[in-house]
Amino acid sequence: MLDVRRLRLLRELSLRGTIAAVAEALAYTPSAVSQQLSTLEREAGVPLLERTGRRVRLTPAGQKLVAHAEAVLERLEQAAGELAASCHEVAGRVRIGIFPTAARALLPDALTSLAGRHPALEPMVSEIDPADVAPALRAGELDVALVHEYDFVPSPVEPGLATEPLCDETMYLAATTLPHVDLADGAAALGHWRDAAWITATPGTLCHTMTLRACHGAGFTPHVRHQVDEFATVLELVAAGHGVAMVPQLAVTDAPPNLSLVRLPLHRRTLIAVRSGAGAHPAVAAVAAALRAAVRRIGDPPARRCGGCGRADTRPHPRATEVCAS
Amino acid sequence: MLDVRRLRLLRELSLRGTIAAVAEALAYTPSAVSQQLSTLEREAGVPLLERTGRRVRLTPAGQKLVAHAEAVLERLEQAAGELAASCHEVAGRVRIGIFPTAARALLPDALTSLAGRHPALEPMVSEIDPADVAPALRAGELDVALVHEYDFVPSPVEPGLATEPLCDETMYLAATTLPHVDLADGAAALGHWRDAAWITATPGTLCHTMTLRACHGAGFTPHVRHQVDEFATVLELVAAGHGVAMVPQLAVTDAPPNLSLVRLPLHRRTLIAVRSGAGAHPAVAAVAAALRAAVRRIGDPPARRCGGCGRADTRPHPRATEVCAS
DNA sequence: CTGAAGCATAAGCTCAGCTGATGCTCGATG
DNA sequence: CATCGAGCATCAGCTGAGCTTATGCTTCAG
């Protein structure tokens, strides 16, 4: 009988490529992972790993085995979900991973509605960068988490995880003054800030990559002066005249005054990610529902009306001036 | 993460109904099974077992979980098979369970062809009563085994196992002298030996049940004088005039002379049983192929020609007189 | 009423599997 | 070419999961 714990290590190895990374992702020492994979290989009777330089790679047999491991883990996840569903009440701990902007914009409301609807549920929230979400979910450290998909930054398909869309936000360019130009021309509009001082997120984050790629798409490389992840701070900096920045819609719900927001023809999609098979778990489903409700209550992003072009908007505008560039 | 070993215990419990039986089937002490199931229940967070009198029964949640367990175990079995298949050579140990008659009739030939075709394969044969095959397969004590299906004795569907037919044998009535009556009338023909002394297998075996049911079907209860499982011995006893017996076709390949064999309108089907998902395992497939080849070499039972009615027969008749009663 | 069958629990032991230390190899870098 | 860091394997040692044995309780059959 193949050991499922060991198969899980193998699956993670197929995703990360080094034993050390597997160990870090699943909270073991590299030594333990190495030993367990050796045992798995011995039991399998076939080489599963191939030492290549100082790394290690899966053999074809290993890759096939990973496919089976995926299926088994997914089925076990389903089983756990069905067990929890057979409980009359949605209860127990559910660990939620969320990025700072969403935490600020959605979390208070979502937690309140969760507490009202499922008093026995114990949501535990951790802020986490969307880039780290996948291993944390697979390792069982989180049960639900939010990830991003930016235009220009396709998120790779993550095996073992299932996602469904939560919301689709317009991206804005935040500045103090509007240039006296026609902003109607989509991507090229960004070019009007080609010589501005830019404020981006720190390198390595999706937001940072998104900003750079978008500017490159408009034909220039931004002069990055400040690197700040927290959008509220970023907006304050912009309002104080220290630069311009690209920010997502969720970040501008409490924008400071004296800020010009130009709607860009770029979008950021936020997805709810869970382990494959766990979507039917009632606690997970409840969290997803609460997050959706919170999004609806903020106002369905696509339904907003732009101060510049006059389209429908279901919520009060931010106090800042808003102009549509799309 | 649900523990697959514990799920296996639960699955076995759903089949046997008592913890003690599970323990015996899977070679644990009842105490260990009880502890593991308690742990599983605690992890599940939902009652899976229901104490009813001095037995224990699965709750609906438990039954659902068993379905998932089946799926997981089957997939793991498939994975193991594919691993073995990715080896260039069919090798390693394969444990075979076989009943005495088949052992005598098929095994030498099957083992010879296996040794020739797959020298690295190490078949290990154990004689086992078909009634005990299911738990032994599920427990991993056997990899392939032969089971029976008699007319009148439907074998229950065994979860976790997959079967495919190996051969279909005609049943014979063995006696020293033929009655001066028309044997053409199927089941009723048996009635001509209603007052004979009968030799059956020991109670509890499928053969025993089969004989009794067949006689009851013909309207009488046989007078059982001797109870002997070994068909060769049974035939010697019959030839020596100590009674009559119902024997399957495989048993009459080396029947003693001076024996009358009356073909009965009854059949015994022999099936190859494996764990679900293990059918593609190359060692298992090799054993199955060898058994089939052995059956073919003996002569395809349905293709034989009856000494009484003149139908086709591809192998030499047993030396005994053979008459068709169907 | 008695005994057997079946389950649960406690106590103790054993080994699977983890950590931490060490050494080796590969590849990048100056 | 020498050096250094990253990555993997192996060893020794320890800890706890999980097994067995022993015991007691409950239920049911005779």
Side-chain angles (χ1 to χ4, degrees), chain B residues 52-195:
Chain B
T52 149
R54 59 181 170 183
R55 302 174 73 84
V56 83
R57 201 172 41 192
L58 290 189
T59 62
Q63 288 166 3
K64 281 186 187 173
L65 192 52
V66 165
H68 288 289
E70 300 276 4
V72 166
L73 291 169
E74 178 168 346
R75 189 72 192 230
L76 286 175
E77 202 62 52
Q78 276 178 30
E82 205 172 292
L83 275 180
S86 72
C87 221
H88 309 91
E89 194 184 23
V90 179
R93 295 190 173 169
V94 56
R95 285 150 304 176
I96 305 168
I98 198 167
F99 52 87
T101 319
R104 182 161 186 155
L106 302 175
L107 200 55
D109 186 47
L111 288 183
T112 302
S113 78
L114 269 184
R117 202 179 295 266
H118 307 293
L121 195 65
E122 295 179 49
M124 301 172 62
V125 176
S126 311
E127 272 194 6
I128 183 174
D129 191 286
D132 301 328
V133 155
L137 277 174
R138 275 193 301 260
E141 292 160 8
L142 294 178
D143 299 310
V144 202
L146 297 186
V147 294
H148 284 151
E149 227 179 47
Y150 282 94
D151 290 337
F152 296 116
V153 188
S155 67
V157 244
E158 280 286 355
L161 299 189
T163 59
E164 34 180 87
L166 173 64
C167 64
D168 186 325
E169 297 167 72
T170 303
M171 296 295 294
Y172 288 82
L173 186 116
T176 41
T177 57
L178 293 180
H180 294 144
V181 293
D182 178 18
L183 294 176
D185 176 20
L190 265 188
H192 298 295
W193 288 276
R194 63 167 64 237
D195 296 320

Side-chain angles (χ1 to χ4, degrees), chain A residues 141-164:
Chain A
E141 291 160 10
L142 294 177
D143 300 310
V144 201
L146 297 186
V147 293
H148 285 150
E149 225 179 48
Y150 283 95
D151 290 336
F152 296 117
V153 189
S155 68
V157 245
E158 280 286 356
L161 299 188
T163 59
E164 34 180 88

